[in-house]
Amino acid sequence: MKIFFRTIHLYLSLASGLVIAVLCFTGAVLVFEKELEQAWHPERYFVEAPTIQTRLSLQQITQAVQASVPQAKVTGMKVYADPLRTVEVSLAGDKSDKKSPPVAQAGPAGNAKGAKAGEKPKGGGEGGGSPKYFVNPYSGQVVGPYVYRDTFFYTMFALHRGMVAGAVGKFIVGVSTLFFLFIIGTGLVLWWPATGKVLRQRLSVKWDASWKRLNHDLHIVLGFYSALFLFVFAFTGLAWSFEWFNKGIFTLTNSEMKGPEPPKSVVAATDSRLTYDAAYAIARQRVPTAQNFSIQLPKDSTESVRIAMLPVNAPTSQPMMNYTWISIPARFWASSTSRIVI
């Protein structure tokens, strides 16, 4: 039986080892994406302590971006509680051209530099193709564009999800991950000691042994200690590769895949519409301790404003898992109230 499991362990490792190595490396890089981005490009994310503490309104920030990038259509804003963080402004992408526009900088008065008159923001398309600009909330200086699809980390993400090979690559990643689960399982069977003396040997590394023995010890000892973590990583990763696996998790946990429907907007007598500033004020009132607020105004007047707020001390490696969503009617009667959607 051990020979059988050793054969499975060996050949599945040979078949999927390179893919698994790429997934592990790219996943480790993506874990530190935020820290690396902020270290490499601090001008995007941080501002110097201002002498004047008066912040620009979100409407003024929108105007600064539109002055820098004419005809820009703002689709969302991300505002941080940290006073030294820039405001992130997302624009609608232009699918006709995936190249990025030149870097543009402008103050609140709209003294744009680097953007031609009438030029639309480029770099559109789905999957990280829409441009994003970073605005100093005190001076109105605009830095950008930042197009995720053009970055090193997007390449890492594409490798991690599908080896930059579309649906075929995604399938290969999924199959390799399944193989990896079998590799972990057969590895534990092969590791399992027959006696207490062997158990002590397989729980520690003999550092003064020959290179061959040291390599063997590192493989089985570190493999055992990391097996549980690797199993969790591989098991949860399958949800990203196979829809049937994802649905199975929801079925086993008796959970609904579809979240609650957000409220619909009701046209007020004054035909008033929520602005970014008004939506931000409501969100600050609801969750005053949030780290940041991501605001999206609706495309349709019947839809709701969507605001995602990251709680204090929440993990940020997968931020969307920690957000509290608030949906607010975009047009509402004076007596209407917003509701929280978790």
Side-chain angles (χ1 to χ4, degrees):
M1 184 61 70
K2 286 233 174 185
I3 294 175
F4 172 73
F5 281 117
R6 186 175 290 110
T7 302
I8 294 177
H9 190 79
L10 172 63
Y11 286 105
L12 288 183
S13 299
L14 289 173
S16 62
L18 180 60
V19 175
I20 295 301
V22 171
L23 296 182
C24 292
F25 173 75
T26 54
V29 171
L30 291 172
V31 166
F32 299 101
E33 176 180 352
K34 183 183 75 171
E35 290 79 7
L36 291 173
E37 272 286 345
Q38 292 179 357
W40 293 344
H41 306 284
E43 72 282 357
R44 287 181 188 159
Y45 304 98
F46 300 99
V47 299
E48 295 181 359
T51 54
I52 301 177
Q53 297 293 328
T54 303
R55 290 175 64 98
L56 299 175
S57 67
L58 298 185
Q59 177 62 29
Q60 290 175 306
I61 289 174
T62 300
Q63 292 171 351
V65 173
Q66 290 174 333
S68 177
V69 188
Q71 301 182 15
K73 182 180 179 181
V74 176
T75 59
M77 284 191 176
K78 190 171 186 178
V79 186
Y80 290 85
D82 184 351
L84 299 183
R85 288 296 299 270
T86 56
V87 176
E88 300 176 13
V89 181
S90 299
L91 305 186
D94 180 4
K95 296 184 179 181
S96 63
D97 191 341
K98 293 186 178 180
K99 294 182 180 179
S100 302
V103 173
Q105 296 184 339
N111 52 327
K113 297 180 182 180
K116 297 179 181 179
E119 182 179 19
K120 293 182 179 180
K122 300 176 183 178
E126 298 178 356
S130 298
K132 181 184 294 184
Y133 287 81
F134 302 82
V135 184
N136 186 316
Y138 304 98
S139 68
Q141 183 185 39
V142 180
V143 176
Y146 168 82
V147 181
Y148 184 58
R149 185 181 290 274
D150 297 338
T151 65
F152 164 78
F153 290 105
Y154 179 82
T155 302
M156 293 292 101
F157 176 77
L159 280 169
H160 191 74
R161 289 293 301 276
M163 304 300 290
V164 200
V168 175
K170 187 177 179 181
F171 179 77
I172 292 173
V173 167
V175 172
S176 298
T177 306
L178 277 174
F179 286 174
F180 193 41
L181 288 175
F182 282 100
I183 292 169
I184 295 170
T186 54
L188 287 174
V189 171
L190 295 173
W191 175 89
W192 200 262
T195 64
K197 182 179 180 181
V198 177
L199 174 62
R200 288 192 296 272
Q201 292 176 354
R202 295 186 178 178
L203 290 176
S204 60
V205 177
K206 190 175 182 180
W207 298 102
D208 58 348
S210 64
W211 178 88
K212 186 175 181 179
R213 172 62 188 272
L214 180 61
N215 182 67
H216 178 265
D217 280 2
L218 288 172
H219 181 78
I220 63 172
V221 175
L222 297 184
F224 169 74
Y225 286 123
S226 61
L228 176 61
F229 300 101
L230 293 174
F231 182 86
V232 172
F233 299 157
F235 185 83
T236 54
L238 286 175
W240 299 98
S241 296
F242 298 116
E243 184 65 23
W244 58 265
F245 189 88
N246 189 41
K247 291 180 178 179
I249 293 177
F250 280 92
T251 301
L252 288 175
T253 57
N254 196 28
S255 304
E256 293 289 337
M257 293 188 67
K258 187 177 181 181
E261 292 292 332
K264 295 293 182 179
S265 296
V266 179
V267 179
T270 58
D271 196 32
S272 60
R273 181 187 292 267
L274 275 179
T275 62
Y276 280 108
D277 288 292
Y280 177 54
I282 293 174
R284 289 277 315 259
Q285 183 181 14
R286 290 289 181 118
V287 189
T289 60
Q291 296 182 44
N292 57 60
F293 303 83
S294 296
I295 308 170
Q296 289 182 313
L297 295 184
K299 298 178 182 179
D300 193 315
S301 61
T302 63
E303 298 302 323
S304 301
V305 177
R306 293 170 64 86
I307 307 174
M309 292 163 288
L310 186 65
V312 175
N313 299 325
T316 56
S317 58
Q318 289 291 339
M320 294 308 297
M321 300 300 293
N322 304 295
Y323 275 116
T324 296
W325 287 92
I326 288 185
S327 293
I328 308 171
R331 298 166 178 249
F332 58 95
W333 299 103
S335 60
S336 295
T337 57
S338 59
R339 76 176 185 184
I340 297 180
V341 181
I342 303 298

